[in-house]
Amino acid sequence: MNWPLWVGLPLLVLLYYASRKRTQPQSVQQVPSAVATSALKAKQTYDAFLVVDVEATCEEGKNFAYPNEIIEFPVYLMKWKDRIGGQASQLEIAAEFQTFVQPTWRPKLSKFCTDLTSITQEQVDAAPRFPEVLRSLRAFLVEHGVLEKTGKRRLKFCWATDGPWDVAEFVVKQAFISQIPVPDWLAGEALDVRQLVRNHLASNSKTVRGNLNISAQLGALGLPPFVGREHRGSDDAQNICRILQKLATEQVPIRPNLHINLRRRWAWMGKSGQILEDKI
Ligand SMILES: *[C@@H]1O[C@H](CO)[C@@H](O)[C@H](O)[C@H]1NC(C)=O
């Protein structure tokens, strides 16, 4: 069909203005925010993080080779608040799990231990033992959609701790003492937050001094001081959450950097849960 020129030209002009009207306000609003989004958010491939900081029995003068028994097991579930297309910068605490744990090999806490952790004998005496704590923790993770009812992972998550000890050492030792296997959902890959902070500071050419404990990490990241009491598991864990939140806003990809070796053994480990006192 041949349109006469006097119809076609005004029609083209009209279409041109109509299309400008439609697209202009959008382009003004969208372009800068899209640019800002990709500039401020890192690609985050994990859905959730389980921040845990256990406290365990300890004796003055003994190091981490000791058969420490877990006495506090706090877990904070952190999820992204703003993840779109895999990019995110805001982590928030979605739920918390809090419990003391009753030790069984040496049920009496040393003064050194109660002074260090502020956890009392009464608190651990009244607490469930480790196998029961794992059952409650599993129920908590199912309730919050982290695990399927079967115990299979529903979200892509990893355990996050200050240093490599909490899951890879304390949980492995405790499972041995309790004579139970470490569940699949507590094994696999984990995140050593302290190492992540160390790498982040190094990549920004900041000098890292000392052992970089939680307080030192907060300071190095320019955050306000430690909130609560150091060496209380729940307080330590909440401060680790603050550190992860800060790293997330600084576009650090948050993902595992540590493998949990369930076959790890210590000299005092005898046959089937037996503790060889002369090897401690
Ligand atoms: C953390 O390390 C700093 C030195 O970097 C030290 O002064 C402080 O006592 C340490 N805190 C704990 C709880 O060990």
Side-chain angles (χ1 to χ4, degrees):
M1 203 194 311
N2 272 324
W3 289 73
L5 208 58
W6 60 269
V7 176
L9 260 183
L11 198 67
L12 269 178
V13 170
L14 210 72
L15 280 173
Y16 173 67
Y17 279 102
S19 74
R20 266 173 59 118
K21 269 213 182 95
R22 259 208 319 273
T23 57
Q24 241 179 7
Q26 271 185 357
S27 62
V28 165
Q29 284 181 338
Q30 274 186 354
V31 171
S33 74
V35 167
T37 302
S38 59
L40 292 171
K41 294 184 182 181
K43 186 152 184 64
Q44 299 290 357
T45 54
Y46 274 69
D47 300 327
F49 305 94
L50 291 168
V51 176
V52 58
D53 191 281
V54 304
E55 295 306 318
T57 56
C58 44
E59 297 282 344
E60 190 154 22
K62 299 278 183 194
N63 57 20
F64 281 2
Y66 185 76
N68 315 87
E69 295 180 87
I70 293 176
I71 54 172
E72 187 187 3
F73 204 118
V75 178
Y76 289 81
L77 168 62
M78 298 195 90
K79 286 186 183 170
W80 297 107
K81 197 175 163 185
D82 63 341
R83 193 161 64 148
I84 299 168
Q87 292 192 317
S89 67
Q90 287 179 57
L91 267 177
E92 63 182 357
I93 295 174
E96 58 183 89
F97 175 88
Q98 169 71 52
T99 187
F100 294 112
V101 189
Q102 189 186 119
T104 53
W105 172 61
R106 290 281 186 273
K108 182 96 177 62
L109 302 182
S110 66
K111 183 172 182 307
F112 175 71
C113 181
T114 52
D115 286 350
L116 182 73
T117 63
S118 80
I119 296 170
T120 67
Q121 187 66 47
E122 293 71 39
Q123 283 169 321
V124 296
D125 284 347
R129 293 176 173 185
F130 189 67
E132 193 186 327
V133 166
L134 285 191
R135 283 193 289 275
S136 317
L137 178 56
R138 181 182 152 146
F140 164 87
L141 296 175
V142 170
E143 182 194 336
H144 291 283
V146 178
L147 297 178
E148 308 277 5
K149 279 210 174 87
T150 59
K152 247 190 75 185
R153 285 168 190 248
R154 187 159 168 233
L155 296 184
K156 187 170 174 184
F157 71 87
C158 70
W159 295 87
T161 59
D162 172 45
W165 309 284
D166 294 75
V167 182
E169 298 201 8
F170 291 116
V171 169
V172 173
K173 286 178 186 179
Q174 182 63 62
F176 175 88
I177 296 168
S178 298
Q179 299 189 48
I180 54 168
V182 175
D184 284 345
W185 47 264
L186 191 44
E189 309 297 317
L191 167 60
D192 173 349
V193 177
R194 188 182 293 201
Q195 188 58 45
L196 188 64
V197 170
R198 196 184 292 282
N199 294 346
H200 175 60
L201 294 173
S203 71
N204 287 315
S205 317
K206 290 200 183 131
T207 353
V208 181
R209 275 190 225 92
N211 67 2
L212 207 62
N213 59 26
I214 298 174
S215 269
Q217 291 170 55
L218 293 166
L221 292 170
L223 289 168
F226 193 98
V227 177
R229 192 192 148 127
E230 282 172 298
H231 295 305
R232 241 318 285 282
S234 52
D235 289 343
D236 281 354
Q238 282 182 67
N239 284 280
I240 299 169
C241 291
R242 294 171 58 210
I243 291 167
L244 278 183
Q245 282 169 331
K246 176 70 172 172
L247 292 173
T249 64
E250 298 206 348
Q251 304 138 61
V252 176
I254 302 178
R255 53 181 178 232
N257 57 10
L258 173 73
H259 182 74
I260 302 167
N261 176 12
L262 298 182
R263 292 168 195 268
R264 175 99 187 257
R265 287 293 172 264
W266 284 262
W268 49 263
M269 290 183 168
K271 289 212 168 77
S272 54
Q274 195 196 352
I275 294 174
L276 310 172
E277 313 253 344
D278 57 331
K279 297 278 173 60
I280 295 167

